Amino acid sequence: MNNAEVVNEAIRNRRSIFTGIFSGEKVDNAIIERMLQNANWAPTHKLTEPWRFVVFEGDGLKKLAKFQSELYKTRAESNGNFNEATFDKLAAKPLECSHIIAIGMKRHSVVPEVEEICSTACAVQNMLLTASAYGIGCYWSTGGITFYEEAKPFFGLEEEDKLLGFLFIGTMKSDKWPEGKRKGIEDKVRWVR
C-alpha cells in the first residue's frame, strides 16, 4: 500500500469510540506520547503552536472527576438547577477511561482567534487518527465543564485562552472496529469552474 492509500484508509477508518465500550485496561503511555507528538505537527499559522494539553491518568482521573463534579455542583446550586444525575455522571465518567486529555488553546494576538481554534482542532484530529491507527478507543467531548470560565485555571489556562473539551481514551472491549457512516459529498461541495 502506498502512502496515499495509507492516509486515505487512516482517515476513513477513524471512529469516535465511546466509554461504554472501554474495557478498563490501561492504554500504554507510549501510545499517549505518540498521540501528543503527532498533535504537535498540526498546521499552525505563524508557528504559534496554540495547543495545550493536560493528560490525566490513574489518580489524576480521580482529581479531574472530583474537580468537574464539584465545580458543576457549585455552579448549578447557585443557579437553582442542580441535577444529581449530571453530578454523578461528571464524577463517574473519567473513571471509565484509561486517560483523559484536556484540550486547551493558548491565545496569541498575532493571528485571529479562529485560526488558533482551527489549529488546535487539527492537533486533536492528529491525536484521533493516531488513536485509531493503534486500535485505541477515543472521542472528543465538549460537554461538562468545557465552557465554564472558572475551570480554566485548573488546566493552566488564562482568561483569553479557551478550554476546547476533552479526549476520552480507553482500550476497547472488542477488537471489532465500528463501521463508518457518512453521506456522500454531493450536497456538501460546490465546484466553481
Side-chain angles (χ1 to χ4, degrees), residues 128-144:
L128 291 166
L129 288 169
T130 304
S132 288
Y134 281 97
I136 299 301
C138 185
Y139 72 98
W140 183 0
S141 173
T142 57

Side-chain angles (χ1 to χ4, degrees), residues 61-110:
L61 293 166
K62 294 175 186 172
K63 291 174 185 173
L64 174 60
K66 181 176 173 40
F67 172 75
Q68 71 175 6
S69 59
E70 291 297 328
L71 178 56
Y72 163 75
K73 183 177 183 178
T74 300
R75 267 190 116 195
E77 285 180 344
S78 71
N79 295 334
N81 59 1
F82 177 75
N83 180 301
E84 190 74 36
T86 301
F87 175 83
D88 291 344
K89 181 178 176 183
L90 289 169
K93 179 87 53 193
L95 307 180
E96 299 174 16
C97 301
S98 170
H99 295 75
I100 293 178
I101 300 175
I103 304 160
M105 189 259 334
K106 181 75 177 161
R107 183 73 177 105
H108 298 89
S109 60
V110 297

Side-chain angles (χ1 to χ4, degrees), residues 10-16 18 125 128-129 178-186 188:
I11 290 169
R12 291 180 182 163
N13 284 324
R14 189 221 46 86
R15 299 285 177 272
S16 293
F18 299 98
Q125 175 72 344
L128 291 166
L129 288 169
E179 291 292 320
K181 297 174 191 147
R182 289 291 188 275
K183 295 176 186 170
I185 64 169
E186 299 78 20
K188 303 171 196 168

